[in-house]
Amino acid sequence: MFFTYLRRELAGRRRQTAIIAIGMALAIALVIIVDSVASGVKAAQASVLESVYGVGTDITVAQSPTPPGEGEGGGPRFEFDAGAGTTADGTTELSQSRLSAGFGSSTFDESALETVQGIDSVAATAATLSLTNTTFNGEMPDFAQMQGSDGGPVAEEGTGQAAPPQGGPDGAGGSAFDVDSFSVLGLDPAADAVGPLSAVSLTDGRALDEGDTGEHVAVLDADYATSAELTIGDTLDLGGTEFEIVGTVTANDADSASASNVYIPLDVAQTLSGEAGMISSISVQAASSTDISQVQADIEAALPDATVSTQEELASSVSGSLATASSLVANLGLWLSLAVLVAAFLIAILFTVSGVTRRTREFGTLKAIGWSNRRVVGQVAGESLVQGLIGGAAGVAIGLLGIAVINLIAPTLSGSASSGGFEMADPGGGPGGATGGEATGGVRAFGPMGQTAAATTEIALNAPVTVSVIAIAVGIAVLGGLLAGAIGGWRAARLRPAEALRSVG
Amino acid sequence: MTGIASPAGGVHRIDTRPTEDTMYTLTKLTKTYRQGDRTVHALKNVDLSIGAGEHVAIQGPTGGGKTTLLQMLGGLDRPTSGTISIGEDEISKMPDAKLAKIRAKEIGFVFQNFNLIPTLTAQENVETALEPLGVPGAQRAERAAAALAAVGLADRAAHLPSELSGGQQQRVAIARALVKEPEVLLADEPTGALDEETRDEILEILEGIRRERGLTLVVVTHDSAVARRAERRLHLAAGTVTER
Ligand SMILES: Nc1ncnc2c1ncn2[C@@H]1O[C@H](COP(=O)(O)OP(=O)(O)O)[C@@H](O)[C@H]1O
Ligand SMILES: [Mg+2]
């Protein structure tokens, strides 16, 4: 009888059933899609982080950046002697390569590594030094022709014979130069398997190993090697020193770039950049995930000046459209689905209650002929529950369709995160400082700024479908149905059997 | 034989002592309703007994308390004061669940507007009466089909109420009231929504069943043609019962 009556009611009152079910379906579909996109965005953030910090890194230790002191800001400085470069036809060609710690980044003493290693529940550590190699290549007019007898630079046109400037790439006193920079990461070839290189795999050649300590060898990111037209066996100029390229690597995650363009042994990196005994970051792996917060607290206590971040905290440091997507999902998505959910629940409740009111005589009659209160309430609740479940099933279908569409479009999100506590996503603020061009003549050509050294990762959003998402949907459907059923049932329970003889309609 | 008297008899004895043949005993039964800040006395100190197997008609003006009295007899509501017994059971203070059981087992209702469940077929509507008795499915279907046959609707079992005429709907309602084989059949204006021809049809059915099964039949009506068929006629005006 229960199921017959239930079936007949749902079929006989299709409009009410459809309205309640559609409301629930839309809400559930939205929840499924938002949840799925949220985990897709989370996964994308994780893979951005992975490319920078490596797989299995639970905590990173860095130094909070300090504002640059007087006269030392502005990135690498190129200084050329009066006689530097080769001069021909009134044009001087200059080229210089500098390897230095990234602009705005802070390095700290490598003794911190031992401190961290001495902390309980620290399973593995790896120290890195994050550097930027900047190469200046330029052609300038021969300044000598414009100099007075005292050898000082000509400051104003009035002194001596003001012959029209000659030389330079345009033959009229102009300059042309480009500044090319790429990221270099110094790491200990003998260190534990955490840190940036744990997220890459070898494409060609060999990786750095213990024997490379002190050697001028480099491993390149495969994409960078291709764009810079470098292969294994070639040499690469880092801060004026020739390095032999021994291998290339790619990020394990097909969508992301690896953490750096070039990887070299830590000790060599420290010596050439003038950062002897300094590091910029330590990757730490805890013995187990439950130890992470304790380890973080211990490191903070042991190294009061350091910035100690967990992977979770770092997720918020990911910038770019990924960050936008993340906050969009977290805010708008959450509130929107919550609002729609509340609306759907209200619709279900209102329609159920008004349905009970409309059926006052029906339920009164059933009570009059001896149906127990519980039986009547059960019937109302059963109807609501099934309406909710129909909505749930439709919602899962719509939700899966929505997710399929998102995955088909696969919008690309980009995210950057940078190790060592500095942001380099903005090339304008990066190294350069090529103010020399303004001195005389006109700046005719600015070379490309070259590679930006931050790990910007382009990731196609993939919204996953998980069992838990479906479970959430079914849970919501049951909850909505039961809520409407409980309130409708409560109304039905309060109906007096005498209504059978009173109620009209 | 309390209460049963010849229709021609002048004054009926109103005995409030329950005997073996008494179906209902009402003593000083009062029911008041609040309407805003007014108190309406729907029933005033009614003393009445109705014998088992009696056919009683209740007449009176609208608002006189007929429906209220029928609700008391059917255990649908509780009196404000006084007592009412069905057989040996004093029901005025009985818990709801127990009262529902008595309604399920012993009392059949027929309503002016039929009160069929609109989404259920004739057969299913009749089966709803057996639901609270816990009759197993197969037996339920069988008994409901037999009850429909008894009111001449065997061929309409699969129809929805909306597909039946008023007279047919009231016959389904009678089948629903009778399928559980109750002691009492209470009808509030059972022919009020029907034309004269259909009215007579329905009355034939009700009387036939009463004779056959010996059940107590209480019919509220303002149709004198209906009331004349009863053995005993009560007049109810302003909450007070008088015999006719
Ligand atoms: N639920 C109720 N609330 C308030 N007043 C009621 C209610 N039911 C009946 N009444 C009042 O009780 C009186 C008797 O009503 P009723 O028993 O329906 O009379 P009848 O059936 O003879 O027309 C009327 O005045 C009616 O307005
Ligand atoms: Mg009435």
Side-chain angles (χ1 to χ4, degrees):
Chain A
M1 194 83 231
F2 176 79
F3 290 106
T4 309
Y5 191 12
L6 186 72
R7 209 176 60 236
R8 297 253 187 246
E9 277 304 316
L10 296 182
R13 299 178 201 268
R14 278 204 194 85
R15 199 147 49 98
Q16 166 165 356
T17 303
I19 289 170
I20 293 178
I22 287 169
M24 294 292 276
L26 291 180
I28 285 166
L30 198 63
V31 168
I32 290 179
I33 292 171
V34 168
D35 185 284
S36 171
V37 168
S39 38
V41 168
K42 211 168 186 180
Q45 278 180 323
S47 84
V48 169
L49 289 175
E50 208 167 81
S51 68
V52 177
Y53 297 102
V55 179
T57 300
D58 297 319
I59 293 169
T60 46
V61 181
Q63 183 85 5
S64 325
T66 46
E70 191 107 356
E72 51 173 296
R77 225 178 131 79
F78 295 97
E79 284 161 6
F80 297 101
D81 297 336
T86 50
T87 309
D89 300 331
T91 304
T92 303
E93 290 202 13
L94 295 168
S95 174
Q96 197 175 344
S97 174
R98 293 193 130 253
L99 185 63
S100 59
F103 171 54
S105 79
S106 285
T107 54
F108 52 97
D109 197 274
E110 66 185 358
S111 63
L113 181 63
E114 274 175 46
T115 309
V116 171
Q117 282 167 340
I119 286 168
D120 281 347
S121 304
V122 168
T125 55
T128 56
L129 177 60
S130 205
L131 301 171
T132 304
N133 190 82
T134 312
T135 307
F136 181 95
N137 273 304
E139 293 178 10
M140 306 256 170
D142 185 6
F143 290 114
Q145 65 179 334
M146 291 183 274
Q147 282 173 344
S149 56
D150 57 352
V154 179
E156 279 143 84
E157 288 176 53
T159 317
Q161 198 95 350
Q166 290 165 14
D170 60 353
S175 312
F177 50 87
D178 60 75
V179 177
D180 180 35
S181 70
F182 52 86
S183 57
V184 177
L185 194 66
L187 35 78
D188 183 358
D192 296 321
V194 288
L197 278 186
S198 59
V200 301
S201 49
L202 202 60
T203 331
D204 216 354
R206 66 174 181 84
L208 297 179
D209 59 35
E210 285 178 54
D212 291 325
T213 306
E215 298 294 325
H216 292 172
V217 289
V219 166
L220 266 59
D221 177 74
D223 290 338
Y224 176 71
T226 307
S227 67
E229 293 173 3
L230 292 167
T231 53
I232 292 169
D234 288 352
T235 55
L236 175 68
D237 181 351
L238 294 176
T241 305
E242 303 265 285
F243 277 70
E244 187 196 348
I245 300 167
V246 296
T248 57
V249 293
T250 44
N252 289 339
D253 186 327
D255 295 319
S256 18
S258 74
S260 179
N261 300 134
V262 177
Y263 301 89
I264 59 173
L266 179 62
D267 57 339
V268 179
Q270 288 170 331
T271 312
L272 290 180
S273 61
E275 299 277 351
M278 303 300 274
I279 52 177
S280 52
S281 169
I282 303 173
S283 301
V284 181
Q285 190 173 42
S288 85
S289 59
T290 51
D291 296 329
I292 292 174
S293 54
Q294 187 54 48
V295 170
Q296 182 186 23
D298 290 349
I299 296 174
E300 276 167 349
L303 300 170
D305 292 336
T307 304
V308 184
S309 320
T310 61
Q311 283 293 80
E312 212 155 287
E313 291 163 357
L314 290 169
S316 61
S317 75
V318 172
S319 59
S321 61
L322 195 50
T324 315
S326 166
S327 66
L328 207 64
V329 168
N331 299 316
L332 185 66
L334 181 73
W335 289 114
L336 191 67
S337 44
L338 214 63
V340 173
L341 204 61
V342 167
F345 276 25
L346 281 180
I347 287 172
I349 290 167
L350 286 176
F351 271 77
T352 304
V353 166
S354 88
V356 169
T357 307
R358 225 170 338 106
R359 291 159 75 189
T360 295
R361 193 156 65 113
E362 176 174 332
F363 293 132
T365 302
L366 289 171
K367 287 185 181 185
I369 66 173
W371 280 41
S372 67
N373 235 344
R374 207 165 39 145
R375 182 68 183 73
V376 172
V377 170
Q379 198 71 41
V380 172
E383 286 172 19
S384 291
L385 188 61
V386 172
Q387 281 165 341
L389 287 174
I390 292 171
V396 169
I398 298 170
L400 292 182
L401 199 72
I403 291 171
V405 169
I406 289 173
N407 286 335
L408 205 67
I409 298 169
T412 305
L413 297 173
S414 67
S416 4
S418 35
S419 55
F422 65 102
E423 283 289 342
M424 294 197 66
D426 173 19
T435 48
E438 289 165 13
T440 48
V443 177
R444 288 292 131 99
F446 249 109
M449 285 307 293
Q451 317 274 325
T452 55
T456 296
T457 303
E458 298 272 315
I459 294 174
L461 179 68
N462 174 54
V465 177
T466 58
V467 179
S468 72
V469 170
I470 306 298
I472 289 170
V474 173
I476 290 170
V478 169
L479 187 73
L482 285 181
L483 197 65
I487 295 172
W490 173 73
R491 291 289 296 244
R494 280 163 43 107
L495 289 179
R496 297 176 314 117
E499 298 291 349
L501 289 163
R502 293 283 179 204
S503 214
V504 282
Chain B
M1 291 295 282
T2 322
I4 299 181
S6 73
V11 177
H12 284 277
R13 207 157 42 86
I14 299 179
D15 193 340
T16 56
R17 266 179 298 120
T19 70
E20 249 180 54
D21 303 287
T22 307
M23 193 69 228
Y24 282 108
T25 310
L26 283 64
T27 37
K28 296 209 176 314
L29 193 81
T30 298
K31 178 71 181 177
T32 60
Y33 293 110
R34 293 210 59 83
Q35 284 180 351
D37 39 37
R38 225 158 53 85
T39 301
V40 179
H41 289 264
L43 295 173
K44 289 178 198 158
N45 289 317
V46 173
D47 289 315
L48 178 70
S49 80
I50 296 173
E54 215 175 348
H55 181 182
V56 181
I58 302 172
Q59 283 181 283
T62 300
K66 303 184 295 295
T67 298
T68 305
L69 178 60
L70 211 63
Q71 283 176 355
M72 297 297 146
L73 298 178
L76 298 181
D77 208 348
R78 292 166 197 287
T80 308
S81 64
T83 60
I84 173 168
S85 303
I86 300 180
E88 305 283 285
D89 301 316
E90 215 277 283
I91 61 168
S92 47
K93 290 184 183 69
M94 203 176 256
D96 282 349
K98 209 169 167 198
L99 206 53
K101 278 212 182 83
I102 287 182
R103 287 199 301 268
K105 244 199 260 176
E106 295 176 10
I107 299 165
F109 282 102
V110 176
F111 310 92
Q112 178 172 3
N113 296 308
F114 327 130
N115 288 18
L116 296 177
I117 312 301
T119 53
L120 296 181
T121 63
Q123 167 82 21
E124 287 155 1
N125 262 289
V126 176
E127 287 188 32
T128 57
L130 298 175
E131 169 82 5
L133 298 177
V135 178
Q139 205 184 323
R140 207 166 58 202
E142 207 175 289
R143 281 174 65 178
L148 278 175
V151 296
L153 282 179
D155 57 337
R156 293 287 189 275
H159 288 245
L160 289 175
S162 57
E163 298 163 349
L164 299 172
S165 71
Q168 287 172 330
Q169 288 186 55
Q170 195 60 302
R171 282 195 270 162
V172 174
I174 293 169
R176 176 177 65 184
L178 295 174
V179 70
K180 58 189 168 192
E181 295 172 350
E183 305 271 334
V184 187
L185 188 61
L186 304 174
D188 193 3
E189 310 270 11
T191 59
L194 304 174
D195 59 47
E196 278 184 29
E197 206 173 310
T198 320
R199 174 194 74 190
D200 294 339
E201 236 175 77
I202 295 295
L203 290 174
E204 293 296 332
I205 292 171
L206 286 176
E207 282 165 15
I209 288 165
R210 183 185 80 86
R211 273 195 306 274
E212 219 171 275
R213 308 197 183 169
L215 53 71
T216 310
L217 177 61
V218 180
V219 181
V220 167
T221 183
H222 35 284
D223 188 339
S224 295
V226 175
R228 272 196 294 273
R229 289 169 171 255
E231 302 168 326
R232 180 179 173 195
R233 293 164 71 176
L234 300 176
H235 189 80
L236 183 49
T240 308
V241 179
T242 47
E243 303 269 349
R244 279 232 170 139

